[in-house]
């Protein structure tokens, strides 16, 4: 554009010289002139839909205050148009006397009424006389119409903002260019390709204009206006688009408002790290520019020229043209000197300006690495302890009882540690006498009472049974399918033990399941007391070893033997618990 203005100025100076000195004109007629070529107009191609009318103003006359068409004609300069078709290099002069009269020239404007696909290419307007000339090119692109709504206009849409619940008159762009002598025109309006959208009182077509009496959100979008006119006996048209957006009303405050940093807000910072200061600003809609920026000691980031400082901005929200903008000031390698600086966030639009200061405070040092390592080690140790306890809880419980438990022999006057109740048949009797009794007495050092062995002849069975159970600390019930039949010795022992346990006479009942029992195998007394009793299952060969869980689980329920007693038993060749199989 600067080069174009220089060319026009030089051309105007030349014309003034020609008008002031005709002799100079005669002397320069025979000189060889060189045409100033200013290339192609840099505003991009002019686009038009095939079958519609368009016009190309000569860019040499885009600054009428410097040079205009009338002065050029008065100075004897002629305006000539050339066409360079697409894919060719040859400049062809345009014939304005063609019979179809589709191409015409009106002053400095070239008209194509209508445009066809053959019109693609460059159009050169040249202003010249015998001794001097200047030329510039304009590119024209003819496109085929598309079926969709947006493709009905080749020219980019014009943006129009209408205040919400406000009013506006919409005029079809470039309408004044068709108001030539001996022409008549009409304008048809569409909203989203609907010509029947203007039947209510809020929107109405008045002559050539579309009047929006009251703007609503639903009225936003693309508006098409089709201008139809007649000239030289032919009906022509061109289409333009207007993109209408609803913006906030002029009745609301329009001054910028800083949401963040607030008055009492404090930004925690840490030396040696990257600090991000976030500023959020509300910028209401106004015509003209809207700006947001950070200052450090009164200087912007660009003025400060410190590579450690940078800022980025983004649009957070757009609501009816009102912007919510977030701008972040990044400070790398934050130092103690940066803590003493003044940081201000500012915003400005046409209505005013707002500034808010950010208050910085150095945060206390938290040994996050040390805390993280300590927490990790603690959790690991807790997990290890949980696994160890889950696997060795019996051993740990036995160890704890052996050192800190209370020996029941010092708190009661009982004679026996264990009374064994069992069904009187050969298999259960063999298990009791050869396995339970031997281990409990010989290996673990308990005093065991077995009725068939320890009772005296001639006594009453009921009285002696009740006496033995009452003088024992534990009642060990060996369960099997035959246990608890009506009228048996075992059932009497079970009832006596349950009664003594219920009355709180320092007796506990322990169930040892020698063989599996069905649901119907439990006698009435056991079904009632089963929830409160401990059940230890004998698993055959798997439980025969003295280090098995059966013996450990049973030993937990039996009376306590202190460590010193176990040592004494060991010195007397009685081993309390060892890896030994029972035969």
């Amino acid at each position: 554009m600067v080069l174009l203005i220089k060319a026009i100025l030089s051309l105007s100076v030349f014309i003034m010289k020609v008008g002031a000195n005709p002799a100079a004109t005669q002397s320069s007629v025979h000189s060889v002139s060189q045409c100033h070529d200013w290339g192609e107009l840099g505003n991009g191609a002019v686009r038009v839909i095939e079958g519609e009318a368009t016009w190309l103003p000569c860019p040499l006359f885009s600054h009428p205050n410097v040079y205009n068409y009338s002065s050029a004609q008065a100075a004897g300069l002629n305006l000539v148009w050339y066409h360079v078709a697409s894919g060719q290099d040859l400049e062809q002069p345009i014939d304005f006397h063609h019979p179809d009269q589709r191409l015409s020239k009106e002053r400095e404007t070239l008209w194509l009424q209508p445009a066809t696909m053959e019109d693609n290419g460059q159009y050169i307007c040249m202003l010249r006389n015998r001794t001097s000339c200047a030329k510039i090119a304009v590119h024209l692109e003819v496109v085929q119409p598309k079926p969709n709504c947006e493709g009905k206009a080749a020219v980019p849409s014009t943006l129009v903002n209408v205040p919400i619940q406000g009013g506006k008159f919409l005029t079809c762009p470039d309408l004044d260019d068709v108001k030539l002598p001996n022409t008549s025109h009409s304008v048809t309006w569409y909203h989203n390709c609907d010509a029947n959208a203007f039947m209510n009182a809020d929107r109405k077509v008045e002559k050539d204009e579309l009047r929006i009496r009251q703007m609503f959100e639903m009225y936003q979008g693309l508006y098409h206006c089709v201008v139809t006119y007649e000239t030289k006996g032919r009906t022509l048209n061109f289409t333009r688009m207007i993109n209408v957006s609803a913006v906030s009303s002029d009745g609301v405050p329009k001054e910028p408002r800083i949401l963040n940093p607030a008055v009492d807000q404090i930004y925690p910072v840490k030396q040696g790290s990257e600090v991000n200061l976030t500023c959020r600003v509300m910028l209401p809609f106004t015509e003209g520019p809207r700006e947001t920026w950070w200052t450090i000691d009164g200087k912007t980031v660009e003025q400060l020229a410190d590579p450690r400082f940078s800022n980025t901005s983004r649009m957070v929200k757009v609501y009816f043209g009102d912007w919510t903008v977030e701008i972040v000031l990044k400070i790398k390698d934050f130092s103690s000197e940066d803590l003493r600086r003044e940081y201000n966030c500012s915003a400005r639009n046409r209505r005013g300006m707002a500034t808010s200061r950010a208050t910085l405070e150095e945060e206390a040092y938290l040994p996050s690495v040390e805390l993280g390592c300590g927490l990790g080690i603690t959790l690991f140790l807790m997990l290890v302890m949980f696994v160890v306890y889950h696997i060795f809880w019996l051993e740990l419980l036995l160890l704890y009882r052996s050192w800190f438990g209370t020996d029941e022999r010092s708190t009661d006057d009982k004679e026996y540690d264990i009374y064994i109740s069992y069904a009187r048949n050969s298999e259960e009797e063999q298990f009791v006498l050869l396995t339970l009794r031997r281990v409990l007495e010989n290996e673990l050092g308990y005093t065991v009472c077995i009725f068939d062995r320890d009772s005296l002849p001639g006594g009453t069975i009921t009285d002696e049974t009740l006496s033995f159970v009452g003088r024992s600390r534990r009642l060990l019930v060996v369960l099997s399918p035959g246990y608890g039949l009506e009228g048996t010795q075992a059932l009497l022992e079970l009832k006596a033990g349950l009664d003594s346990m219920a009355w709180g006479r320092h007796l506990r009942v322990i169930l040892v399941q020698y063989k599996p029992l069905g649901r119907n195998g439990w006698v009435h007394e056991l079904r009632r007391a089963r929830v409160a009793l401990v059940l230890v299952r004998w698993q055959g060969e798997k439980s025969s070893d003295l280090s098995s869980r059966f013996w450990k689980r049973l030993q937990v329920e039996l009376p306590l033997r202190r460590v010193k007693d176990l040592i004494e038993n060991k010195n007397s060749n009685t081993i309390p618990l060892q890896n030994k199989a029972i035969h």
Side-chain angles (χ1 to χ4, degrees):
M1 188 60 69
V2 175
L3 296 177
L4 180 60
I5 294 175
K6 290 181 179 180
I8 294 173
L9 291 175
S10 62
L11 193 58
S12 62
V13 171
F14 170 75
I15 293 172
M16 289 193 310
K17 288 183 179 179
V18 169
N21 189 2
T25 304
Q26 296 295 330
S27 61
S28 60
V29 170
H30 303 287
S31 62
V32 179
S33 61
Q34 182 179 2
C35 193
H36 297 278
D37 186 0
W38 301 112
E40 187 176 302
L41 187 66
N43 293 338
V46 176
R47 302 177 78 247
V48 62
I49 293 179
E50 182 184 16
E52 290 195 351
T54 189
W55 54 94
L56 302 175
C58 181
L60 293 176
F61 300 97
S62 58
H63 296 275
N65 58 337
V66 178
Y67 195 70
N68 57 51
Y69 182 78
S70 299
S71 61
Q73 291 290 325
L77 293 171
N78 295 323
L79 180 62
V80 183
W81 285 90
Y82 294 88
H83 179 216
V84 181
S86 297
Q88 298 183 10
D89 297 329
L90 183 61
E91 299 178 2
Q92 295 288 345
I94 297 177
D95 183 10
F96 295 110
H97 301 288
H98 197 275
D100 63 3
Q101 296 183 345
R102 193 173 57 82
L103 276 65
S104 63
K105 180 176 67 171
E106 299 291 340
R107 293 175 59 86
E108 70 272 17
T109 303
L110 172 66
W111 285 81
L112 295 88
Q113 304 180 99
T116 64
M117 297 301 294
E118 298 176 354
D119 297 329
N120 274 299
Q122 276 189 344
Y123 287 83
I124 300 171
C125 65
M126 180 182 296
L127 193 61
R128 71 179 183 182
N129 60 12
R130 292 184 180 183
T131 59
S132 180
C133 79
K135 66 178 181 177
I136 190 169
V138 181
H139 191 80
L140 177 68
E141 182 181 356
V142 182
V143 297
Q144 293 182 349
K146 297 180 180 179
N148 59 331
C149 185
E150 290 77 5
K152 291 188 176 181
V155 179
S157 60
T158 303
L159 179 62
V160 176
N161 297 311
V162 182
I164 195 75
Q165 296 185 347
K168 189 84 171 182
F169 281 95
L170 301 182
T171 302
C172 191
D174 302 330
L175 178 60
D176 293 336
D177 292 331
V178 300
K179 293 180 179 179
L180 301 174
N182 302 322
T183 61
S184 60
H185 69 273
S186 63
V187 181
T188 306
W189 288 88
Y190 301 86
H191 181 214
N192 296 330
C193 298
D194 185 7
N196 300 319
F198 314 109
M199 298 300 184
N200 54 27
D202 295 329
R203 294 184 297 178
K204 189 175 182 181
V205 177
E206 297 180 358
K207 295 183 179 181
D208 295 338
E209 296 179 323
L210 174 61
R211 181 179 182 183
I212 301 178
R213 297 177 182 271
Q214 193 170 13
M215 183 65 185
F216 294 98
E217 186 177 3
M218 68 183 72
Y219 295 160
Q220 296 186 112
L222 287 175
Y223 287 76
H224 291 77
C225 56
V226 180
V227 179
T228 304
Y229 66 97
E230 294 183 2
T231 182
K232 299 179 181 180
R234 110 181 14 164
T235 301
L236 302 167
N237 64 78
F238 64 88
T239 305
R240 295 294 183 265
M241 287 193 305
I242 301 177
N243 190 359
V244 176
S245 296
V247 296
S248 58
S249 174
D250 293 333
V252 299
K254 294 291 185 178
E255 292 77 13
R257 184 160 51 96
I258 297 181
L259 308 176
N260 196 19
V263 177
D264 55 349
Q265 182 177 358
I266 297 177
Y267 290 89
V269 296
K270 184 187 296 184
Q271 293 191 29
S273 64
E274 180 178 284
V275 173
N276 295 327
L277 305 181
T278 302
C279 175
R280 181 169 290 199
V281 180
M282 173 68 176
L283 287 167
F285 173 80
T286 58
E287 299 291 344
R290 289 178 275 183
E291 302 175 289
T292 304
W293 68 95
W294 277 98
T295 58
I296 304 94
D297 292 337
K299 296 181 180 180
T300 63
V301 174
E302 293 76 13
Q303 294 172 343
L304 191 64
D306 190 336
R308 294 189 303 113
F309 291 81
S310 62
N311 55 19
T312 57
S313 62
R314 67 184 183 96
M315 191 77 66
V316 178
K317 182 180 179 182
V318 178
Y319 182 74
F320 289 133
D322 296 342
W323 293 353
T324 301
V325 181
E326 188 175 86
I327 179 170
V328 180
L329 175 64
K330 296 184 179 181
I331 309 172
K332 296 181 180 179
D333 298 329
F334 193 85
S335 63
S336 58
E337 296 181 359
D338 297 327
L339 190 61
R340 294 189 290 269
R341 293 176 181 263
E342 181 177 328
Y343 303 91
N344 289 308
C345 177
S346 302
R348 177 172 55 202
N349 64 7
R350 196 181 67 175
R351 294 291 185 88
M353 179 175 174
T355 301
S356 180
R357 182 175 179 179
T359 303
L360 276 60
E361 183 178 277
E362 187 173 5
E363 62 182 6
Y365 172 73
L366 291 177
S368 57
V369 177
E370 294 83 350
L371 290 176
C373 293
L375 179 61
I377 294 173
T378 303
L379 294 176
F380 176 75
L381 293 177
M382 290 178 63
L383 179 62
V384 171
M385 292 176 63
F386 174 80
V387 173
V388 170
Y389 177 78
H390 183 74
I391 298 175
F392 302 103
W393 68 276
L394 281 174
E395 291 80 355
L396 294 174
L397 186 57
L398 288 173
L399 181 63
Y400 176 82
R401 290 177 75 245
S402 65
W403 287 101
F404 303 102
T406 302
D407 194 339
E408 296 181 21
R409 290 177 298 181
S410 62
T411 60
D412 59 30
D413 55 354
K414 299 294 183 71
E415 182 179 351
Y416 300 103
D417 291 322
I418 305 167
Y419 182 92
I420 301 178
S421 173
Y422 59 96
R424 270 62 175 181
N425 57 56
S426 59
E427 187 175 358
E428 279 82 353
E429 188 171 3
Q430 184 178 8
F431 169 71
V432 169
L433 296 178
L434 300 182
T435 301
L436 280 180
R437 182 202 60 78
R438 184 173 65 82
V439 173
L440 294 176
E441 287 183 343
N442 299 336
E443 303 294 342
L444 300 180
Y446 289 106
T447 57
V448 178
C449 177
I450 301 176
F451 184 86
D452 296 337
R453 184 194 66 176
D454 299 327
S455 62
L456 298 176
T460 306
I461 295 177
T462 303
D463 294 340
E464 290 191 5
T465 299
L466 295 177
S467 175
F468 282 140
V469 172
R471 287 152 35 194
S472 301
R473 299 182 179 90
R474 300 289 187 273
L475 174 61
L476 197 64
V477 178
V478 180
L479 297 176
S480 62
Y483 185 87
L485 298 177
E486 294 292 338
T488 62
Q489 173 72 18
L491 183 61
L492 176 63
E493 295 166 347
L494 174 63
K495 291 181 178 180
L498 293 177
D499 291 340
S500 179
M501 182 176 177
W503 288 99
R505 297 173 182 172
H506 303 289
L507 175 70
R508 289 174 57 189
V509 178
I510 304 172
L511 305 180
V512 174
Q513 181 176 298
Y514 177 63
K515 289 184 178 181
L517 278 78
R519 183 175 180 85
N520 297 329
W522 294 81
V523 295
H524 179 67
E525 288 78 8
L526 283 178
R527 281 199 296 269
R528 289 192 306 170
R530 171 67 184 88
V531 178
L533 301 180
V534 177
L535 179 64
V536 184
R537 291 182 174 86
W538 173 262
Q539 296 178 342
E541 293 295 330
K542 187 177 180 180
S543 302
S544 61
D545 197 289
L546 291 181
S547 62
S548 66
R549 296 182 67 85
F550 172 81
W551 295 110
K552 293 178 182 179
R553 184 73 179 88
L554 184 62
Q555 193 174 1
V556 169
E557 304 300 330
L558 296 177
L560 173 68
R561 288 292 175 265
R562 302 300 299 270
V563 174
K564 63 180 181 179
D565 297 334
L566 298 178
I567 295 175
E568 293 175 358
N569 290 337
K570 184 176 181 180
N571 294 334
S572 62
N573 297 325
T574 302
I575 303 174
L577 192 63
Q578 57 185 340
N579 295 338
K580 181 185 294 184
I582 301 171
H583 302 289

